[in-house]
Amino acid sequence: MIDFHTHSAASDGALPASDLIARAAAEGVSRFALTDHDTVHGYLSVYQESPPDLDLISGVELSCQWGRVGIHVVGLGFRIEAAEMKAHLVILDAARKDRAERIAHRLEREGMQGALEGALAVAAGAQIGRPHFARWMVSAGHVANEQEAFKRFLGSGKPGDISILWPALQETVEVITRSGGVAVLAHPLHYRMTATRLRALADAFCEAGGGAIEIINGRPKPGEREQLWRLASARNLRVSVGSDFHRDTPYGASLGVSVTDIPEGMGVWETL
Ligand code: AMP
Ligand code: MN
Ligand code: MN
Ligand code: MN
């Protein structure tokens, strides 16, 4: 089993990185990447003491923009000390702090005072994101649950959805490849694009030097995997897989994806 898309408490996951990798090893995952949003702090805290039977590779899920659309690109197997990657993460760090201030401002206009302090307290030093605002909104009694927070305030097109600050897709892919890693287009079906737009995105990703498409993210619906397989193979891109695990939920994916039925020569793991 492989898992090349997971989150720890260094971003918006529930488990500390050390607990996450211990659990992955215990559940039989052999190759693993921690891909926190725009930070490698979780990876840095564990990579020197990872379990012997777990092959831990460097990872990150980078926020970027393609036109006006927010896109996630997973970077795998890059040099953790690469100056370009470090500089890019500094930019993203600042962008997230700036965005958090703007989100808070919007939420305050909606009558929720103290949003920035609240979300920062929830994040407790983690890379700040909308899920931290959602959790604060629940604890402050503004919404009943995190789903409602996204549906009413944080999700696409809502007041707290501010997505104009990320670096471009092309630059993001280039940073990963120049840092010695492989860029993976994450969860292509989450962007709610038409098939034509999605093909254009895959073309742009390919042109920028992208290496693989994530064909399994969490629990795919019937047919999705096949659709993404075609998107990858038509461009000679490899495929990647991951649970996108954040925390235990009743219907969420557990850690690890079996790759026994993926033909040889297609998996991005064969190149890492
Ligand atoms: P951000 O990285 O700050 O843009 O926040 C995006 C993250 O929020 C995603 O990685 C998910 O973990 C989470 N998320 C996105 N949509 C929802 C939703 N509708 N309900 C709960 N969590 C969500
Ligand atoms: Mn997330
Ligand atoms: Mn994502
Ligand atoms: Mn993710």
Side-chain angles (χ1 to χ4, degrees), residues 5 7 37 61 72-74 186-187 190-191 214 217 244 246:
H5 191 151
H7 296 272
H37 298 285
E61 182 174 15
H72 286 174
V73 173
V74 164
H187 45 61
H190 281 196
Y191 311 122
E214 192 173 70
N217 174 277
D244 210 349
H246 287 70

Side-chain angles (χ1 to χ4, degrees), residues 163-182:
S163 59
I164 50 164
L165 302 159
W166 307 119
L169 173 77
Q170 172 158 353
E171 180 192 341
T172 299
V173 170
E174 286 172 3
V175 166
I176 295 167
T177 51
R178 287 201 293 254
S179 302
V182 179

Side-chain angles (χ1 to χ4, degrees), residues 68-272:
R68 291 183 59 86
V69 192
I71 301 290
H72 286 174
V73 173
V74 164
L76 298 173
F78 50 87
R79 293 183 303 275
I80 198 67
E81 290 298 328
E84 253 189 284
M85 178 61 78
K86 280 187 173 176
H88 193 76
L89 290 172
V90 168
I91 291 168
L92 286 169
D93 228 61
R96 277 193 174 264
K97 289 193 172 76
D98 179 44
R99 183 178 73 144
E101 283 173 22
R102 295 187 193 208
I103 292 173
H105 194 71
R106 294 269 186 91
L107 295 181
E108 283 173 7
R109 284 216 305 246
E110 300 286 326
M112 292 174 252
Q113 303 309 312
L116 185 60
E117 296 71 23
L120 287 171
V122 169
Q127 183 63 284
I128 186 90
R130 285 178 288 170
H132 304 114
F133 281 94
R135 269 152 62 195
W136 169 75
M137 285 159 75
V138 174
S139 68
H142 295 301
V143 291
N145 51 52
E146 291 163 39
Q147 280 306 111
E148 188 191 339
F150 272 90
K151 208 167 166 187
R152 290 179 56 199
F153 299 107
L154 300 168
S156 176
K158 303 300 173 191
D161 172 33
I162 294 165
S163 59
I164 50 164
L165 302 159
W166 307 119
L169 173 77
Q170 172 158 353
E171 180 192 341
T172 299
V173 170
E174 286 172 3
V175 166
I176 295 167
T177 51
R178 287 201 293 254
S179 302
V182 179
V184 180
L185 182 61
H187 45 61
L189 299 177
H190 281 196
Y191 311 122
R192 298 164 186 276
M193 292 177 178
T194 62
T196 308
R197 283 284 284 165
L198 190 55
R199 282 195 294 269
L201 170 62
D203 288 341
F205 174 76
C206 204
E207 246 170 66
I213 286 187
E214 192 173 70
I215 62 161
I216 297 177
N217 174 277
R219 292 183 159 186
K221 295 187 190 74
E224 290 185 342
R225 182 188 150 143
E226 292 69 26
Q227 183 188 351
L228 294 173
W229 177 271
R230 290 192 295 273
L231 199 67
S233 57
R235 291 164 184 80
N236 283 318
L237 293 169
R238 287 191 175 246
V239 301
S240 188
V241 299
S243 62
D244 210 349
F245 181 88
H246 287 70
R247 58 180 45 76
D248 284 309
T249 57
Y251 304 104
S254 51
L255 290 171
V257 178
S258 170
V259 294
T260 49
D261 56 347
I262 293 181
E264 224 173 287
M266 284 302 285
V268 72
W269 46 88
E270 294 169 52
T271 70
L272 293 163

